[in-house]
Amino acid sequence: MKALSQKRRHPLAAVALLLLGLLLTGGLYAAATSINEAQASNAADVYSASDVEEGERLFVANCATCHGINAEGSDAGPSLIGSGAAAVDFQVGTGRMPMQMSGPQAQKKPAQFNDEQTMQLSAYVASLGSGPAVPAAEYLDVEEGNIARGGELFRINCAMCHNAAAAGGALTEGKYAPGLDGVESVHIYEAMVTGPQNMPEFTDANIPPEDKRDIIAFLKNNESQSAPGGFALGSLGPVSEGLLIWTLGLALLIGSMVWLTSRSS
Amino acid sequence: MGEHGNGDPSTGAVIKAGEGRSSGYAIDNPGLPPHRPRLADADEKAAKRAERQVSALFLISIIGTVMFFVGYFAVGVTAGDLNMLRLQNTLLGVGVAFAMLGIGLGVVQWARALMPDHEVVEDRKPLRKEEDRAEAAQTVDEILDETQIKRRPLLRNTLIGAALLAPLPAVVVFRDLDRSEDFGPERMRHTLWTEGVRLVRDPTGTPIRASDLTVGSAVHAIPETLREVSGHGDRLAEKAKAVVLLIRMNPDDFEAVTPGREDWKHEGIIACSKVCTHVGCPVALYERHTHHLLCPCHQSTFDAAAEFKVTFGPAGRPLPQLPITVDDEGFLIARSDFTEPVGPTYWERG
Amino acid sequence: MSSQSLESKYTEEQYSEVDQYQPATRTGKIANYVDQRVGGTGMVREFGRKVFPDHWTFMFGEVALYSFVITVISGAFLTFWFDPSMASTRYDGAYVPLQGVEMSTAYATSLELSFDVRGGLFMRQLHHWAALMFIMAMAIHMLRVFFTGAFRKPRELNWVVGCTLLLAGLGAGFTGYSLPDEVLSGNGLRIIDGMLKAIPVVGTYISFFLFGGEFPGDEVIPRLYSLHIFIIPAVILILIAVHLFMVVTHKHTQYPGPGRTERNVVGYPIGPVYAAKAGGFFFVVFGVLALLAGTFQINALWNYGPYDPSPVQAGTQPDWYIGWFDGLLRLMPGYIGDIPLEFVLPTPWGGNSVATPVLVTFIPITALLLGLFVWPWIEAWITGDKKEHHILDRPRNVPGRTAFGMAMMIWYFVMWAAASSDLIATHFSLSFNDVLIWLRVLFFAGPILTFIITKRICLALQRKDREIVLHGNEAGVIEMLPHGEFREKHTRVSDYELYTLVSYESPEVTAARPNSRGKVGLLEKSRVTLNRTFFEDRVAPVSREEYIEALSHDDHGTAAELPAGSVGAIESKKN
């Protein structure tokens, strides 16, 4: 065990662990019946057969190198059997997949596929085994959400990684929790359900869909409002405030001091 | 530097600290440089210009104050409208800034450009004259003599005794800063967890079924009995000791189990105190694939797969593990209290 | 005993003069009115034309004073709405995302202050920015005093007063930071609680007495409040009064330069120039702070939520001046390899825990703060300099002190930077583990490297000064000599500039002095070692002989090419 923990320090170990973890989770999803199953609608109800077919074609061309020709996984990527449509929609929809480069974690970037292609890929993966589905529109309607309650849930369950103002924060070994500003409601929901990368899962048993809607409503409300006190300095708290007083604050002071003690021409 | 040398810098003048004063240097003190008149001193036009500059700054100050009033009275901030609040705050701030900077910069410019700028030399007075000091010492001696304190040691000794004791009440009177009935470090050994207490979700208070947790889930839990604690302060103090993080991992991922802890888990579900063993921040960041728990305050990292041992950072002990099981209805319950005090190390912990 | 004579040494006329004096001018009338009652004219006569040297670096103390005044003004405003009670309440104010949430009255009134009181948000931000500036200005002021040697005799005690002010400022800042009772400051308090508990024997009890029981309870905020608005500000005010009184007694120091001596003060009289500049500067400082408060958000406490021991957030940091404590806590590892540093001390009653990882952080804190207080005496002991000083040092002319000060600054900076290791990591795409490991290395290596580098830079600058004194400035003109040699023309600097470059003390390394029994003790040996690190490799100022020699070497060193006055000064010395 000691040897393992030492190897864990190796930079590639993080990636290996990540992949291992994804692989395990994927496998478990396929095997175990999870609470999400109730919500995960049968792929055949939502997606047409042609969607699945087109999705498989896209998958083979773009994803199979790492995830295997039948999405059974490989050394380079986890199995997607049982990952569900939500995971695909999140990973592909936010541009994290296909992955640009290996690193501590997949980075957000402009999406590689359009909405239709993403839907087709989701349809294909959903057809492989049951998993969390793309959320229904009613759970994304922020008008219905309770902002205050969402805030409370956010502070207990999310703020420790994503920061109280959702500005993001550091995790171990170079990983990080991204800022949530500008992330689409559907992707926030899907991230909670599927737990991408190292994020824990918040299944519907633990945070019911209505509560997730509250959290999204809280985030969207904050996004729509400007910072009341002026420039928010990245919402990073005392560090950026200290930096400002030692840069701009000090520069303004020194400027006025030098002028004040200089001789007039 | 070319052909001409720079001398030997280490053998030049030796002016020992304090000896130098103003003599013994390479050249003597040449005195103040001649005064150079400013434009405004010689040219009345320049002086007028300076005057106009200063008044313009004062006018800016007036505009700033008006701006403040506009922000205060004209900007209507309805409840919850942060955009308008921001506008108001900006107008108030920038208004006051102009009001103040206008006056400040104006007065300074007035002093720089128009008031006399001749440097003045003032002599330093020696801090105290020798004879003054002698006289003062003598006065003190005389006063002491008149009190007879040296001749009457009984007076002196009893006074010292009294003066040493007298401040003690001022210390003792603060004893009741902590009036709790269970005063003392012993109370830090117990939390609300006892056998059979259900783990409920924070903050909703709903009980947790083992089947609610999928692999990769993390739930922040508190004891169900917490809501029965009366008093805001007591409830916070109990919560501060009892907060727990519940996570479910793949059972194969667990490393060796310490003897005696075999039945502390339920399937892959494991619970630990959320209070960091370093200085007490909530260790709430869980990474599902690395099984790392991270404290955002000082980056202590704990490995959930290895009974929360420390893998990085300043924490000096693993997080205490809460023994759990499920009750008849399938809800998670505690098997007992923590088997060690939670939170930062303290002297009496032992 | 004979009865004492009732005769006064003053005459009756002197007493009655008061009633007969008829002032001529309007100002005179006011002055007379005041003087007949409280005798203020003596003070005006004394202070009205008191001379203060003028240099921009002398103004940081004023910034500190002014920002303190602004924190008092804005803080007084805040007290009218803020209620430090920890009684539980349900928020129903204007901020929508917290409506209906249960919280303490302290947090609820902080929110009310920000969202429902017009101008309240501005005043809160002004208060906070002014507090940050207050401590920053004190810190820079102290650095200025340190690097120019202004703390030397007779000002050592005033330096101590200043150090105490800095501590009081830190106390004021921390107690204020905790008052709103939100998650961020609550976790700050929790860290303090953890640090207190680590103190052997008494720590646990100190924590109990501070919190009125177990952390957090509901008594700590009112207690911090009375410290924050009453006790600490009172201490600061008294210390400021003492500090300023001593400045007046000592008269201000001045930089070396023509006309300046140890026996005089050169500058502007208080009335009108200095008073106008200093008074105007108050408004400038106020304006700068108002600008910050109006445009930059500080401590967005509505984001953090009411304090609750369960939540925490990424980027949990204290205000900048507490940062180095936090950084130290991060730097100190809990384990070396697999060996825990924490241990149980066996005692007859069972054993006591020693929280080494926390306790070790007290060492640099104590060293830096205590070192700050006693530095004037340490330096005097090392250098053996017991004389009065009113002329400041140019930092380069005291390489030992400057290098040591820079080393300590870097040491502080490493601890400070460690407090934002997580943000450094996310903003530069690094791993915070690596950032911390590098900072651990720098914690030890940084000060040493800085000492060496700074000392070399100082010596190089001194050599440059020698070069300018001996040969003048490079004129940027290449001339060809009759025999074909090219060289750059140098222009000699005026005596006024020259004097600044040569008028500094340059002590040599002093040998060990045996004590009364004729032995060199260990203490004296260490003194000599320190003395050597301070003064070895010294670059001496140009001596009179060297200067005259250099003048005579000057091919074109004729009177015509020298600035007026300089030759005269030299010639008169030759005779």
Side-chain angles (χ1 to χ4, degrees):
Chain A
M1 281 297 105
K2 198 176 153 196
L4 182 68
S5 76
Q6 271 169 356
K7 273 187 198 130
R8 205 170 279 158
R9 306 243 161 93
H10 194 276
L12 282 177
V15 182
L17 265 173
L18 189 87
L19 296 175
L20 187 73
L22 281 169
L23 199 75
L24 281 170
T25 334
L28 273 160
Y29 250 119
T33 52
S34 85
I35 196 76
N36 285 302
E37 204 181 6
Q39 201 214 333
S41 44
N42 194 341
D45 296 345
V46 186
Y47 305 112
S48 67
S50 66
D51 288 339
V52 176
E53 205 174 295
E54 186 60 21
E56 181 170 11
R57 208 184 55 75
L58 282 167
F59 183 89
V60 171
N62 296 287
C63 319
T65 327
C66 299
H67 292 290
I69 199 80
N70 295 313
E72 75 281 7
S74 76
D75 292 344
S79 159
L80 300 180
I81 297 163
S83 289
V88 181
D89 191 54
F90 175 84
Q91 300 283 2
V92 178
T94 61
R96 285 181 169 80
M97 291 290 151
M99 219 167 152
Q100 196 169 39
M101 56 175 180
S102 63
Q105 68 189 50
Q107 316 253 359
K108 193 180 168 179
K109 61 178 187 297
Q112 308 271 297
F113 298 102
N114 63 28
D115 290 351
E116 196 193 359
Q117 292 168 320
T118 307
M119 184 270 287
Q120 289 161 343
L121 274 169
S122 305
Y124 169 66
V125 171
S127 73
L128 299 173
S130 67
V134 176
E138 61 173 305
Y139 297 124
L140 303 175
D141 184 5
V142 292
E143 297 296 317
E144 295 291 311
N146 179 337
I147 295 169
R149 188 183 153 77
E152 227 172 328
L153 290 163
F154 181 83
R155 284 189 292 273
I156 293 275
N157 291 295
C158 321
M160 65 286 225
C161 300
H162 289 287
N163 163 308
L171 298 175
T172 64
E173 314 279 356
K175 299 186 286 297
Y176 61 91
L180 303 180
D181 234 23
V183 180
E184 285 176 43
S185 301
V186 62
H187 292 146
I188 298 175
Y189 192 103
E190 286 163 353
M192 286 191 269
V193 178
T194 61
Q197 322 261 351
N198 261 299
M199 178 168 159
E201 275 173 34
F202 298 94
T203 61
D204 288 350
N206 289 321
I207 299 184
E210 292 78 15
D211 288 5
K212 291 195 175 86
R213 182 173 61 195
D214 290 347
I215 293 175
I216 295 170
F218 168 76
L219 289 170
K220 290 295 152 191
N221 175 69
N222 282 2
E223 220 174 271
S224 69
Q225 299 275 356
S226 54
F231 298 109
L233 304 172
S235 293
L236 297 173
V239 170
S240 48
E241 291 156 14
L243 206 59
L244 187 86
I245 198 80
W246 276 94
T247 48
L248 181 66
L250 187 57
L252 288 172
L253 279 182
I254 292 182
S256 58
M257 278 151 60
V258 170
W259 172 74
L260 189 141
T261 47
S262 67
R263 274 188 97 241
S264 173
S265 58
Chain B
M1 248 171 264
E3 78 289 355
H4 43 237
N6 203 357
D8 180 355
S10 60
T11 56
V14 180
I15 295 133
K16 291 225 176 65
E19 285 173 2
R21 303 297 181 202
S22 50
S23 60
Y25 299 132
I27 63 167
D28 285 343
N29 196 329
L32 284 182
H35 181 250
R36 182 171 53 84
R38 295 164 297 186
L39 283 176
D41 293 332
D43 180 6
E44 184 54 27
K45 257 200 224 151
K48 274 274 175 221
R49 195 161 56 235
E51 189 185 344
R52 281 196 301 275
Q53 281 170 354
V54 174
S55 343
L57 284 164
F58 291 158
L59 283 174
I60 287 175
S61 168
I62 295 172
I63 294 169
T65 309
V66 171
M67 198 186 217
F68 177 90
F69 287 128
V70 170
Y72 195 89
F73 292 111
V75 179
V77 181
T78 49
D81 188 352
L82 299 188
N83 299 332
M84 286 310 266
L85 182 58
R86 178 177 182 153
L87 176 66
Q88 183 178 54
N89 188 63
T90 309
L91 284 172
L92 298 187
V94 176
V96 173
F98 274 132
M100 293 296 149
L101 287 172
I103 294 179
L105 299 179
V107 169
V108 171
Q109 176 63 1
W110 185 353
R112 284 175 78 244
L114 294 169
M115 293 183 194
D117 75 331
H118 283 271
E119 283 192 307
V120 179
V121 180
E122 190 180 70
D123 287 332
R124 281 177 200 279
K125 286 181 226 143
L127 217 47
R128 283 286 173 271
K129 288 198 211 74
E130 203 62 53
E131 53 264 38
D132 275 3
R133 254 176 303 203
E135 204 174 295
Q138 202 191 337
T139 310
V140 171
D141 282 344
E142 278 171 16
I143 291 171
L144 283 178
D145 220 35
E146 285 173 20
T147 61
Q148 309 175 11
I149 200 161
K150 283 186 188 153
R151 278 193 292 136
R152 302 187 192 279
L154 184 63
L155 277 179
R156 190 193 59 197
N157 293 347
T158 46
L159 176 63
I160 290 174
L164 283 179
L165 280 178
L168 283 185
V171 178
V172 172
V173 79
F174 285 102
R175 164 62 186 82
D176 274 1
L177 277 175
D178 181 359
R179 288 176 293 135
S180 359
E181 283 162 20
D182 56 347
F183 181 77
E186 203 40 42
R187 58 187 157 178
M188 290 161 72
R189 296 188 179 276
H190 312 290
T191 70
L192 283 179
W193 296 111
T194 50
E195 190 177 351
V197 173
R198 273 185 183 166
L199 288 89
V200 298
R201 290 185 185 85
D202 186 23
T204 51
T206 50
I208 305 158
R209 272 180 210 283
S211 58
D212 290 350
L213 294 169
T214 49
V215 169
S217 285
V219 173
H220 302 266
I222 47 179
E224 192 173 27
T225 47
L226 183 66
R227 73 171 74 143
E228 293 155 21
V229 179
S230 59
H232 186 62
D234 286 346
R235 199 161 56 243
L236 283 184
E238 287 301 343
K239 188 173 184 183
K241 285 191 293 185
V243 281
V244 152
L245 187 67
L246 261 181
I247 48 190
R248 184 172 202 148
M249 292 163 45
N250 186 336
D252 300 338
D253 289 347
F254 289 116
E255 295 177 18
V257 179
T258 312
R261 291 191 176 194
E262 293 87 354
D263 53 359
W264 283 19
K265 299 190 284 275
H266 176 73
E267 293 166 6
I269 304 176
I270 189 166
C272 68
S273 164
K274 235 168 94 175
V275 193
C276 188
T277 54
H278 176 223
V279 284
C281 278
V283 184
L285 285 68
Y286 174 58
E287 298 176 5
R288 63 184 284 192
H289 296 301
T290 60
H291 311 129
H292 281 159
L293 280 166
L294 170 68
C295 176
C297 293
H298 304 112
Q299 279 76 47
S300 288
T301 311
F302 303 88
D303 189 351
E307 295 180 342
F308 310 103
K309 74 165 195 194
V310 182
T311 57
F312 186 81
R317 274 184 293 118
L319 291 169
Q321 188 182 345
L322 181 73
I324 51 165
T325 185
V326 288
D327 62 11
D328 305 338
E329 296 173 63
F331 290 113
L332 288 165
I333 54 169
R335 293 185 80 97
S336 72
D337 197 351
F338 288 104
T339 55
E340 53 182 318
V342 299
T345 302
Y346 56 98
W347 178 249
E348 294 84 357
R349 189 178 188 278
Chain C
M1 283 187 112
S2 63
S3 69
Q4 247 185 346
S5 157
L6 281 176
E7 244 165 70
S8 163
K9 58 177 172 177
Y10 300 106
T11 65
E12 191 51 36
E13 283 77 45
Q14 279 173 307
Y15 284 108
S16 58
E17 204 175 20
V18 168
D19 298 326
Q20 282 148 19
Y21 175 66
Q22 288 299 323
T25 61
R26 223 181 133 86
T27 321
K29 276 183 194 151
I30 298 168
N32 189 39
Y33 185 89
V34 176
D35 193 37
Q36 287 192 10
R37 283 155 186 83
V38 293
T41 48
M43 229 162 74
V44 174
R45 257 206 350 250
E46 170 76 26
F47 287 105
R49 291 288 186 181
K50 201 171 169 59
V51 166
F52 273 90
D54 206 19
H55 192 271
W56 68 270
T57 58
F58 292 166
M59 305 199 67
F60 285 109
E62 278 173 54
V63 177
L65 176 66
Y66 296 156
S67 33
F68 176 70
V69 171
I70 293 162
T71 58
V72 172
I73 296 171
S74 53
F77 178 90
L78 300 180
T79 61
F80 295 145
W81 288 273
F82 178 70
D83 175 0
S85 159
M86 285 175 96
S88 181
T89 178
R90 211 161 271 281
Y91 177 73
D92 58 356
Y95 186 63
V96 176
L98 287 171
Q99 278 167 0
V101 173
E102 195 188 324
M103 59 179 64
S104 70
T105 309
Y107 186 49
T109 51
S110 307
L111 291 170
E112 189 179 284
L113 191 59
S114 309
F115 293 105
D116 301 84
V117 176
R118 267 184 290 179
L121 179 61
F122 169 66
M123 287 300 235
R124 239 198 69 233
Q125 302 207 119
L126 180 67
H127 189 67
H128 206 137
W129 282 122
L132 295 193
M133 184 174 277
F134 173 46
I135 302 179
M136 174 180 76
M138 281 200 284
I140 302 177
H141 177 59
M142 290 180 84
L143 289 174
R144 196 280 294 167
V145 168
F146 180 90
F147 284 113
T148 58
F151 55 82
R152 291 173 298 173
K153 191 180 169 185
R155 293 179 179 78
E156 306 101 315
L157 292 179
N158 216 11
W159 166 261
V160 170
V161 172
C163 293
T164 320
L165 269 168
L166 183 74
L167 288 191
L170 296 185
F174 187 78
T175 50
Y177 171 86
S178 309
L179 291 182
D181 200 23
E182 21 64 47
V183 170
L184 180 68
S185 70
N187 279 314
L189 270 180
R190 188 157 209 173
I191 293 168
I192 292 292
D193 172 60
M195 289 176 80
L196 287 176
K197 281 180 177 155
I199 301 171
V201 189
V202 292
T204 319
Y205 290 92
I206 296 178
S207 157
F208 289 158
F209 287 131
L210 173 64
F211 292 95
E214 284 190 273
F215 174 89
D218 53 6
E219 296 187 35
V220 64
I221 301 287
R223 286 173 187 178
L224 293 176
Y225 188 58
S226 75
L227 285 171
H228 181 73
I229 69 158
F230 172 59
I231 299 170
I232 298 176
V235 169
I236 292 180
L237 271 175
I238 293 167
L239 289 174
I240 287 177
V242 174
H243 200 66
L244 293 181
F245 173 78
M246 285 183 132
V247 169
V248 170
T249 309
H250 294 138
K251 290 198 162 91
H252 209 284
T253 50
Q254 55 193 350
Y255 282 103
R260 276 99 175 137
T261 72
E262 290 281 9
R263 303 272 183 255
N264 70 7
V265 195
V266 180
Y268 296 104
I270 283 195
V273 183
Y274 191 79
K277 282 187 174 182
F281 190 51
F282 170 78
F283 291 93
V284 173
V285 172
F286 202 149
V288 167
L289 284 171
L291 196 65
L292 290 178
T295 46
F296 291 97
Q297 180 165 293
I298 186 164
N299 195 18
L301 45 84
W302 49 89
N303 282 336
Y304 304 135
Y307 181 64
D308 173 329
S310 178
V312 67
Q313 57 232 344
T316 289
Q317 264 107 355
D319 274 343
W320 77 261
Y321 44 85
I322 306 287
W324 65 295
F325 297 94
D326 197 59
L328 264 172
L329 284 170
R330 295 182 184 209
L331 282 172
M332 180 66 202
Y335 286 74
I336 302 220
D338 280 340
I339 304 154
L341 298 180
E342 204 175 298
F343 62 93
V344 175
L345 196 71
T347 45
W349 50 87
N352 285 113
S353 295
V354 183
T356 323
V358 182
L359 287 175
V360 168
T361 64
F362 295 161
I363 297 172
I365 293 174
T366 321
L368 261 186
L369 291 179
L370 198 69
L372 211 57
F373 273 88
V374 299
W375 177 257
W377 291 277
I378 294 182
E379 190 186 295
W381 171 68
I382 295 174
T383 58
D385 177 3
K386 307 279 192 280
K387 294 249 165 46
E388 264 189 29
H389 294 275
H390 300 291
I391 298 268
L392 296 172
D393 291 320
R394 298 169 79 216
R396 69 181 62 169
N397 288 336
V398 198
R401 181 205 297 144
T402 305
F404 179 74
M406 285 299 294
M408 289 300 105
M409 263 175 75
I410 290 294
W411 205 38
Y412 178 94
F413 185 78
V414 171
M415 302 182 219
W416 191 15
S420 38
S421 53
D422 52 336
L423 292 174
I424 296 174
T426 47
H427 283 74
F428 297 97
S429 298
L430 300 165
S431 145
F432 72 69
N433 306 64
D434 298 340
V435 173
L436 274 171
I437 288 163
W438 274 106
L439 286 172
R440 281 174 188 161
V441 172
L442 276 179
F443 179 83
F444 295 102
I448 297 170
L449 285 175
T450 312
F451 184 90
I452 296 167
I453 294 169
T454 312
K455 191 164 176 188
R456 291 297 129 187
I457 291 175
C458 286
L459 296 174
L461 287 171
Q462 282 187 298
R463 280 166 202 269
K464 189 191 112 200
D465 284 352
R466 274 184 71 89
E467 166 76 13
I468 291 171
V469 170
L470 290 175
H471 307 296
N473 281 320
E474 290 171 2
V477 177
I478 306 288
E479 57 181 2
M480 192 172 85
L481 297 187
H483 57 272
E485 183 190 343
F486 287 92
R487 72 177 188 190
E488 184 164 16
K489 237 177 146 170
H490 283 68
T491 44
R492 291 216 160 267
V493 294
S494 78
D495 270 13
Y496 301 118
E497 285 165 70
L498 202 64
Y499 183 72
T500 314
L501 301 181
V502 297
S503 62
Y504 66 90
E505 295 166 352
S506 171
E508 289 177 303
V509 177
T510 51
R513 281 182 297 245
N515 60 14
S516 52
R517 280 175 298 151
K519 278 186 181 163
V520 175
L522 199 65
L523 202 65
E524 179 65 11
K525 270 188 194 152
S526 49
R527 189 194 72 80
V528 172
T529 315
L530 289 170
N531 187 284
R532 191 170 302 120
T533 23
F534 247 67
F535 295 131
E536 72 186 351
D537 310 325
R538 82 189 185 99
V539 173
V542 173
S543 70
R544 192 168 299 245
E545 291 71 31
E546 285 174 311
Y547 183 56
I548 293 168
E549 167 89 355
L551 280 185
S552 67
H553 272 266
D554 251 342
D555 291 342
H556 32 265
T558 58
E561 293 201 26
L562 289 170
S566 53
V567 176
I570 294 306
E571 291 302 316
S572 68
K573 280 303 130 198
K574 272 186 189 166
N575 302 332

